[in-house]
Amino acid sequence: MQLLDGKKLATEIKLEIAEEVRKIKAAGKKIPHLVAVLVGEDGASQTYVASKVKSCEEVGFKSTLFKLKKDITENELLTKINLLNNDDSVDGFIVQLPLPKHINEEKIMLAIAPEKDVDGFHPTNVGRMTLNLPSYVSATPKGILEMLNRYNIETEGKHCVVIGRSNIVGLPMSLLMQRRSKPGNCTVTICHSKTNDLAKYTLQADIIIAALGKPKFLTADMVKKGAVVIDVGITRVVDASTKSGFKLLGDVDFEHVQKKCSYISPVPGGVGLMTVVSLLQNTLSAAKEEFYKKSMSFGLDEL
Ligand code: GUN
């Protein structure tokens, strides 16, 4: 069994990005600028956003964090987004999810200008990704592709089972694994909470991507010998023995599943760190106008 070491890969990729930033600076160009918008005080969201901001610093990006009160109105948040859409100093921005219940997340995602949507959540980016057109790709699936690529894991002709159909991970992941590219060219099965006899599918899988958010859900009896197992789960559970008072659990029963795998990603130290790096890569793409020209900005009026 080989561990898919997200920490090692993330460090490697951050060094590569830092080198690009150095060249951008040396050429006298503007350094990439990522803005993160955090609404409310959700503990997990605060941790994730802090990690994104810290990673920006590590690679030499400019970053700005806007912390907004949890009772901000939907209209106030839309106004903030409109300002960011039209702020030329900002290459890309994210609105950390989940949002408080009184705010419609779909409406918020739609308000973000596609060319600044470095999360890749806007329907324009999802649609472009689906059609294999240049676009920002949602950070977690993008990080998993990078992981498969850098570990040289063969995916062509393999059966990939994705567990979970969320807009952020399961759905884009399943589309990316089947597309005509490397990594890709898999036969893909999407399983979800309504799938009957899930083990029937996972036992046939060469690659399993577990993204359902249920700690230790995937057990050894559900995994074929030699399978590649990617764990996307990051559930916080209370643990008084740790400094923070909680620990992170993946969707995979790592201790037992690892004995059957060819490759497995751990939690923590796996996909989570790749996700942050993907966001940096998307921000760099935004700064370099790789997918969209900056002149394409539009305001709320045009939505
Ligand atoms: N909440 C959980 N994952 C993500 C993510 O990748 N981006 C944003 N904006 N919110 C999240």
Side-chain angles (χ1 to χ4, degrees), residues 37 45 48-49 52 93-98 109 119 121 138-140 168-169 234 275 279:
V37 178
S45 291
Y48 301 143
V49 168
K52 290 170 187 180
F93 66 97
I94 62 161
V95 178
Q96 187 66 25
L97 303 178
M109 291 303 117
D119 257 331
F121 292 169
S138 179
T140 302
I168 297 183
V169 184
I234 34 163
T275 298
L279 178 66

Side-chain angles (χ1 to χ4, degrees), residues 243-255:
K243 210 169 99 189
S244 59
F246 68 86
K247 64 177 174 183
L248 293 181
L249 286 183
D251 289 346
V252 177
D253 176 10
F254 184 89
E255 187 192 340

Side-chain angles (χ1 to χ4, degrees), residues 275-290:
T275 298
V276 179
V277 158
S278 303
L279 178 66
L280 299 177
Q281 289 174 322
N282 278 344
T283 306
L284 188 61
S285 295
K288 288 160 74 179
E289 300 184 53
E290 264 174 27

Side-chain angles (χ1 to χ4, degrees), residues 110-302:
L110 270 170
I112 298 173
E115 69 270 22
K116 293 198 178 184
D117 167 40
V118 284
D119 257 331
F121 292 169
H122 190 284
T124 296
N125 282 314
V126 178
R128 291 177 69 111
M129 179 272 294
T130 303
L131 298 176
N132 220 351
L133 295 168
S135 69
Y136 303 113
V137 172
S138 179
T140 302
K142 184 178 166 77
I144 293 171
L145 291 185
E146 187 84 54
M147 198 171 224
L148 292 169
N149 194 33
R150 294 209 180 211
Y151 274 91
N152 231 347
I153 293 172
E154 184 57 78
T155 58
E156 186 168 314
K158 306 290 183 195
H159 182 200
C160 174
V161 170
V162 179
I163 314 175
R165 54 181 161 178
S166 71
N167 288 348
I168 297 183
V169 184
L171 181 67
M173 195 72 242
S174 58
L175 291 166
L176 291 162
M177 291 304 280
Q178 60 79 41
R179 77 179 176 178
R180 220 183 286 266
S181 66
K182 191 176 182 332
N185 281 321
C186 283
T187 302
V188 178
T189 302
I190 312 177
C191 296
H192 46 75
S193 54
K194 299 287 183 281
T195 300
N196 288 330
D197 193 7
L198 196 127
K200 182 171 90 187
Y201 302 99
T202 56
L203 278 168
Q204 292 173 33
D206 303 303
I207 302 169
I208 302 176
I209 301 176
L212 71 161
K214 284 194 180 161
K216 299 192 182 188
F217 176 86
L218 190 80
T219 47
D221 57 328
M222 297 166 80
V223 178
K224 181 171 84 171
K225 198 163 184 304
V228 176
V229 174
I230 311 278
D231 192 348
V232 184
I234 34 163
T235 306
R236 281 176 147 216
V237 293
V238 174
D239 182 351
S241 71
T242 66
K243 210 169 99 189
S244 59
F246 68 86
K247 64 177 174 183
L248 293 181
L249 286 183
D251 289 346
V252 177
D253 176 10
F254 184 89
E255 187 192 340
H256 300 105
V257 171
Q258 54 129 345
K259 293 176 190 149
K260 293 182 94 173
C261 295
S262 53
Y263 294 88
I264 186 167
S265 72
V267 177
V271 170
L273 299 166
M274 298 302 292
T275 298
V276 179
V277 158
S278 303
L279 178 66
L280 299 177
Q281 289 174 322
N282 278 344
T283 306
L284 188 61
S285 295
K288 288 160 74 179
E289 300 184 53
E290 264 174 27
F291 309 135
Y292 298 94
K293 293 282 165 248
K294 293 248 160 70
S295 58
M296 287 169 76
S297 282
F298 55 85
L300 278 181
D301 295 349
E302 290 159 75

Side-chain angles (χ1 to χ4, degrees), residues 31-45:
I31 59 169
H33 181 196
L34 174 72
V35 170
V37 178
L38 176 64
V39 182
E41 278 128 38
D42 177 74
S45 291

